[in-house]
Amino acid sequence: MSLAVFMLSGATLPRTGPVPEDKPQAAEPAAPQTETPQAPAPIPQPKPEEPKEAEPKPESKPEPTKPETAKPDETAPAGTKPSDEKPEAPKAETLEEQHLTIEPESDADHADCIKELQSLGVVFKEIPRIDDGNGCGIDKPIVLSEALPGIKVKPEATLRCPTARALAHWMKESVIPAAAVAARDQGRITTINQASAYICRLRNSAETGKISEHARGNAIDVASFSFEKGEDIAVKPRREDSTLTGAFQRTVSASGCLYFSTVLDPESDAAHETHFHLDVLERKGGYRYCH
């Protein structure tokens, strides 16, 4: 026992105990060569500040642009005009150069017009077709002696029937009632003094231009009205005439457009200072020109 004690007393403990070894971890299998390596995790970025609303800038007026000068068409053959060049105005032609023809009239329409003239008491006679060449003429002309019973036309007027019909209605429904107020002391109208009816010419007797409606029997020029008593009422400039006579002329001029498609009075131009020009030219859409 003493030996055992001696042996135990002589033995010493180590200063440090054994360090335990780390437990070996299982090796991860190697990634296949074809696999794409994983990207590193994205680093969160700080939240951007919200942009402040820009203050409105004062509006600036745009600089006026200068029109560009048109360039000639480089692809056009030499000697040709640019495509944007205005065409030349048509040359004014004489009556002979226009090669016009007389407009035909419907037999049925003419017959209806003749019956209406007869019912109104118009005095007239039918005459053969007029053909003065170059489009001047009337297919079915009449010679008008009285526009209404007791109201002569001096001198007698060669016209188309529709022109005489319009004149009769204008006199009956407008001129006579207006004269009864404006010239009541002069009695009834006895005569229409006309300055022009059918005549072969261009408008305003010009050398070139459009054919006159007088050359087709569509027009009559009224120069004055004669009464039973007193002086004639002449057609002349009366825009500033404050008398009943001035009111009469302005009234019958305005009402003329109810019966005629064209009315030109002394206020229209210098060529009509002494008469009314009245015609029945048919225009597209029933358009009328009255001045």
Side-chain angles (χ1 to χ4, degrees):
M1 180 178 176
S2 59
L3 177 62
V5 172
F6 172 81
M7 291 180 66
L8 288 174
S9 61
T12 58
L13 294 173
R15 294 182 181 181
T16 59
V19 180
E21 295 181 358
D22 292 336
K23 184 178 180 180
Q25 296 181 355
E28 294 183 359
Q33 295 296 325
T34 57
E35 182 177 352
T36 303
Q38 295 182 355
I43 301 174
Q45 299 293 329
K47 183 178 181 182
E49 296 183 1
E50 295 184 1
K52 295 182 179 180
E53 184 175 354
E55 295 182 0
K57 296 182 180 181
E59 295 183 358
S60 58
K61 296 182 179 179
E63 292 292 331
T65 57
K66 295 181 180 180
E68 295 183 358
T69 304
K71 297 181 179 179
D73 187 357
E74 297 179 357
T75 61
T80 59
K81 296 180 180 179
S83 58
D84 60 346
E85 184 173 333
K86 294 182 180 179
E88 294 181 0
K91 177 186 175 183
E93 296 178 323
T94 64
L95 186 58
E96 291 77 11
E97 292 172 333
Q98 296 182 47
H99 306 294
L100 302 173
T101 58
I102 297 172
E103 295 181 359
E105 298 186 61
S106 162
D107 290 339
D109 291 344
H110 181 71
D112 290 342
C113 183
I114 291 297
K115 289 179 181 178
E116 189 170 356
L117 292 187
Q118 293 170 340
S119 68
L120 290 167
V122 178
V123 179
F124 65 95
K125 64 181 178 181
E126 296 184 74
I127 61 174
R129 185 176 190 267
I130 299 173
D131 187 352
D132 290 331
N134 301 313
C136 292
I138 306 174
D139 190 24
K140 295 176 171 54
I142 67 169
V143 175
L144 181 65
S145 302
E146 294 186 11
L148 287 172
I151 301 180
K152 297 184 180 297
V153 177
K154 291 186 178 180
E156 292 182 336
T158 300
L159 305 163
R160 288 182 61 234
C161 183
T163 311
R165 177 175 57 193
L167 181 66
H169 281 290
W170 177 58
M171 291 296 300
K172 180 179 181 180
E173 298 161 14
S174 177
V175 179
I176 291 175
V181 176
R184 60 171 60 116
D185 296 336
Q186 295 180 234
R188 67 180 184 84
I189 295 176
T190 59
T191 307
I192 300 171
N193 300 296
Q194 61 98 358
S196 180
Y198 170 75
I199 183 173
C200 183
R201 63 174 175 83
L202 297 179
R203 292 181 183 179
N204 298 330
S205 299
E207 293 183 359
T208 60
K210 293 185 177 181
I211 191 170
S212 170
E213 292 307 306
H214 287 282
R216 298 185 179 277
N218 287 332
I220 185 169
D221 292 347
V222 175
S224 65
F225 302 95
S226 297
F227 293 78
E228 290 178 312
K229 299 178 290 183
E231 297 180 354
D232 293 354
I233 293 182
V235 179
K236 61 183 182 180
R238 295 184 185 274
R239 184 187 297 275
E240 305 301 330
D241 187 344
S242 58
T243 67
L244 280 174
T245 302
F248 166 77
Q249 179 173 300
R250 292 190 295 272
T251 298
V252 299
S253 175
S255 66
C257 212
L258 298 174
Y259 309 94
F260 297 91
S261 59
T262 307
V263 177
L264 301 175
D265 66 14
E267 313 302 338
S268 63
D269 55 33
H272 298 90
E273 285 188 344
T274 60
H275 62 273
F276 293 134
H277 168 90
L278 311 167
D279 74 46
V280 293
L281 170 66
E282 293 184 5
R283 298 183 178 90
K284 292 182 180 180
Y287 173 76
R288 299 186 174 214
Y289 182 84
C290 304
H291 193 290

